[in-house]
């Protein structure tokens, strides 16, 4: 079974084992390299190296599917970000409206309390006036009774 080597550079144009490597995975026959070159390639942290049978699926093909899934998820995430921004804006507007309503509520509450106190004062004044009128009626009743007793 023929062996192949998949090489992917972490930085496009990186050189190792006498050749320039790409960020795109490239596949070569393993027999193209010496044992020393293979060791250099495998030990190089700037390269991703995989040795496999020629008929096995290339690791990069799986990565490509993952890249497509990643792009789809990224697009979905971007859409979610827009929704979050929209909802955040709506929440801010709702909070501002709530604060405005609460301020109006406090104004109405304050005005109602002022009017209630004013009405309580009016009731107190009327009660005092009523007591004065009752006292006058009592005094007049007493005078009338006294006059009626004299006139008999």
């Amino acid at each position: 079974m023929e062996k192949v080597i998949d090489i992917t550079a972490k930085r496009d144009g990186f050189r190792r084992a006498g050749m320039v490597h790409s960020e795109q995975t490239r596949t070569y026959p393993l027999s193209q390299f010496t044992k020393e070159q293979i060791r250099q390639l495998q030990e190089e942290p700037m390269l991703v190296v995989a040795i496999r049978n020629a008929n096995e699926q290339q690791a990069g093909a799986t990565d490509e599917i993952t890249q497509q899934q990643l792009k789809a998820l990224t697009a979905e995430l971007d859409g979610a970000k827009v929704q979050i921004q929209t909802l955040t804006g709506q929440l801010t507007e709702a909070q501002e409206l709530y604060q405005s309503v609460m301020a109006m509520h406090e104004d109405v509450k304050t005005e109602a309390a002022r009017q209630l106190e004013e009405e309580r004062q009016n009731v107190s004044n009327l009660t005092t006036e009523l007591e004065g009128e009752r006292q006058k009626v009592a005094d007049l009743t007493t005078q009338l009774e006294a006059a009626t007793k004299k006139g008999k």
Side-chain angles (χ1 to χ4, degrees):
M1 176 88 28
E2 183 183 356
K3 295 272 190 177
V4 293
I5 184 169
D6 297 325
I7 304 172
T8 310
K10 293 183 180 178
R11 186 187 64 206
D12 210 31
F14 183 78
R15 296 184 65 86
R16 186 62 69 228
M19 57 192 313
V20 177
H21 301 282
S22 166
E23 289 179 339
Q24 298 296 320
T25 301
R26 301 190 90 158
T27 303
Y28 305 94
L30 190 60
S31 59
Q32 179 177 328
F33 300 94
T34 67
K35 287 184 181 183
E36 179 58 25
Q37 287 175 319
I38 294 170
R39 185 189 61 73
Q40 284 179 348
L41 293 169
Q42 289 178 320
E43 290 178 357
E44 177 54 58
M46 289 298 292
L47 297 175
V48 177
V49 177
I51 297 174
R52 61 181 172 87
N53 290 326
N55 62 351
E56 289 178 1
Q57 182 180 6
Q58 177 183 349
T62 305
D63 291 343
E64 187 175 310
I65 292 168
T66 304
Q67 288 295 333
Q68 289 173 350
Q69 290 171 340
L70 182 61
K71 285 179 184 177
L73 289 173
T74 300
E76 193 176 323
L77 181 60
D78 289 342
K81 284 180 184 177
V82 169
Q83 286 180 324
I84 289 170
Q85 289 171 341
T86 301
L87 291 172
T88 300
Q90 290 173 346
L91 176 61
T92 300
E93 289 174 12
Q95 287 172 331
E96 289 170 357
L97 180 60
Y98 173 78
Q99 292 299 327
S100 175
V101 168
M102 290 307 294
M104 287 190 316
H105 171 74
E106 283 301 314
D107 291 346
V108 168
K109 187 174 153 184
T110 300
E111 178 61 19
R114 186 195 64 73
Q115 288 177 357
L116 179 61
E117 186 55 37
E118 192 175 285
E119 290 303 316
R120 282 183 178 152
Q121 188 60 47
N122 285 342
V123 167
S124 177
N125 291 343
L126 288 172
T127 301
T128 302
E129 190 177 319
L130 179 60
E131 286 303 316
E133 292 301 316
R134 282 185 180 156
Q135 188 60 47
K136 285 181 187 177
V137 168
D139 291 345
L140 288 173
T141 302
T142 304
Q143 289 174 3
L144 180 60
E145 285 174 0
T148 304
K149 283 185 187 179
K150 270 188 182 179
K152 283 192 178 179

